[in-house]
């Protein structure tokens, strides 16, 4: 971003472990009684473990555009610029109406762009990386000249002004479309018959002997299956029909859910007290649950206000609670929807959603995976699609592993 008085900076925030990921998984997790959340050894800012980092700001800079990424394995990241507001203008690649916050919380995988006025110098930034108990706290400067103040923060991260670990799903509103109108809520009203819905309940299966036998450890299950199971038998949905995804956290932990290939609208999001959400006669109870009440209120809010729900690809979902997301399935193929804590994916937490091509697409054109493998074939039976898809999946995975192996070798030689 080359503009007078504006300086663009990238800040990656992550948790850190002394051992390699696979060793951590093997030594701490993947055996009977193994943990779901291995101990963090530290946190990194732009790949560095040291506190007291400094981002140099050019003298004529008026504002810094900060690209924030939680690139970590597990920890939610908190960021605060002391005495300043951060103006959020982007969430996971979606431009939003500017919204000022004092403290920002980033789930694993989330990206934000914020603008910080830099008329004061230097600016002290405070970062907290959430671990099981408390936060790993770090500070860094953004400074035009040599900073002279003391880089100290003796309070608790939770005491930062504006500290909020939930999602600002009503505040961070995407910019209107090119014609100036707000983008409507997908699927619009409730019980829209053009809409399809899946409900995903996830829980950590502690006492499941079959799982322990199959995987050698306890696993997370979504509707009774692990992500490894879903690789074999994905959840099938139709293309071209709004998909409402209800995610219910039956465990007590906060998990950052991430969807591949799509940005979802966040229609409703529960907090701990709200419990899980049952819709459309799923529950025999006659009383309306707190979750259901919240969902209906949120739906009415979007319809009446005409506002656009926060749109992104990653959100934190609080334990013992729920989220309702909507997407427009318009990219036939297999897409992962999973917890972005890498330890939890290894432990099975996620699903594969298969977007089937529209019937008209099936007869007129072949899906992408078929085109790439059999350009002249006109067959489109499900069996052929599955076979061809598997072939291309194997190719993609082989190339991926080849690249990762080469990278590992390079990294190994650099480090040794
Ligand atoms: Cu998780």
């Amino acid at each position: 971003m080359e503009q007078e008085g504006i300086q663009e900076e990238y800040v990656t925030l992550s948790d850190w472990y002394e051992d390699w990921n696979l060793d951590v998984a093997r030594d701490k997790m993947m055996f009977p009684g193994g943990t779901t959340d291995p101990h963090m050894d530290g946190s990194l800012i732009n790949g560095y473990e040291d506190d007291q980092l400094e981002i140099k700001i050019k003298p004529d800079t008026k504002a810094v555009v900060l690209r924030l990424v939680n690139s970590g394995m597990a920890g939610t990241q908190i960021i605060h610029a002391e005495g300043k507001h951060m103006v959020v203008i982007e969430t996971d690649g979606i431009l939003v109406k500017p919204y000022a916050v004092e403290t920002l919380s980033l789930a694993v995988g989330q990206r934000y762009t914020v603008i910080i006025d830099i008329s004061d110098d230097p600016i002290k930034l405070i970062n907290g990386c959430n671990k099981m108990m408390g936060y790993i706290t770090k500070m860094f400067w953004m400074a035009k000249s040599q900073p002279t103040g003391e880089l100290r923060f003796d309070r608790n991260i939770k005491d930062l002004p504006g500290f909020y670990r939930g999602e600002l799903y009503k505040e961070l509103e995407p910019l209107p479309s090119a014609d100036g109108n707000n983008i409507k809520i997908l699927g619009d009203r409730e019980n829209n018959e053009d809409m399809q819905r899946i409900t995903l309940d996830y829980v950590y299966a502690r006492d499941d002997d079959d799982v322990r036998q199959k995987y050698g450890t306890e696993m997370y299950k979504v509707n009774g299956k692990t992500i490894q199971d879903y690789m074999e038998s994905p959840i099938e949905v139709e293309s071209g029909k709004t998909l409402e995804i209800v995610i219910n956290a039956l465990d007590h932990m906060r998990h950052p859910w991430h969807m591949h290939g799509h940005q979802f609208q966040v229609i409703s999001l529960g907090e701990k007290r709200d419990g899980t959400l049952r819709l459309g006669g799923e529950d025999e109870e006659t009383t309306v649950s707190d979750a259901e009440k919240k969902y209906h209120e949120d739906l009415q809010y979007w319809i009446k206000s005409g506002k656009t729900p926060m749109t992104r690809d990653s959100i934190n979902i609080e334990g013992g609670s729920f989220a309702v997301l909507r997407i427009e399935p318009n990219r036939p193929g297999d897409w992962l929807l999973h917890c972005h804590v890498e330890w939890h994916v290894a432990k099975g937490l996620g699903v594969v959603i298969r977007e089937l091509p529209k019937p008209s697409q099936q007869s007129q054109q072949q899906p992408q995976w078929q085109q790439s493998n059999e350009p002249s074939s006109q067959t489109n039976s499900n069996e052929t699609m599955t076979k061809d898809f598997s072939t291309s999946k194997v190719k993609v995975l082989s190339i991926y592993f080849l690249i990762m192996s080469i990278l590992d070798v390079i990294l190994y030689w650099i480090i040794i």
Side-chain angles (χ1 to χ4, degrees), residues 90-118:
E90 178 251 349
T91 56
D92 299 348
I94 299 287
L95 291 173
V96 297
K97 295 179 182 172
Y99 186 80
V101 297
E102 288 176 286
T103 298
L104 198 58
S105 161
L106 289 87
V108 179
Q110 281 189 330
R111 292 87 68 206
Y112 280 99
T113 300
V114 300
I115 300 176
I116 302 175
D117 155 52
I118 194 105

Side-chain angles (χ1 to χ4, degrees), residues 70-99:
N70 182 341
S71 57
M73 299 281 288
T76 297
Q77 297 281 349
I78 308 294
I79 189 108
H80 171 79
E82 200 171 70
K84 292 283 171 189
H85 277 88
M86 296 180 284
V87 179
V88 180
I89 58 165
E90 178 251 349
T91 56
D92 299 348
I94 299 287
L95 291 173
V96 297
K97 295 179 182 172
Y99 186 80

Side-chain angles (χ1 to χ4, degrees), residues 220 254-256 339-341 344 349:
Y220 283 99
R254 187 181 292 269
H255 294 270
C339 172
H340 217 302
V341 172
H344 296 175
L349 190 46

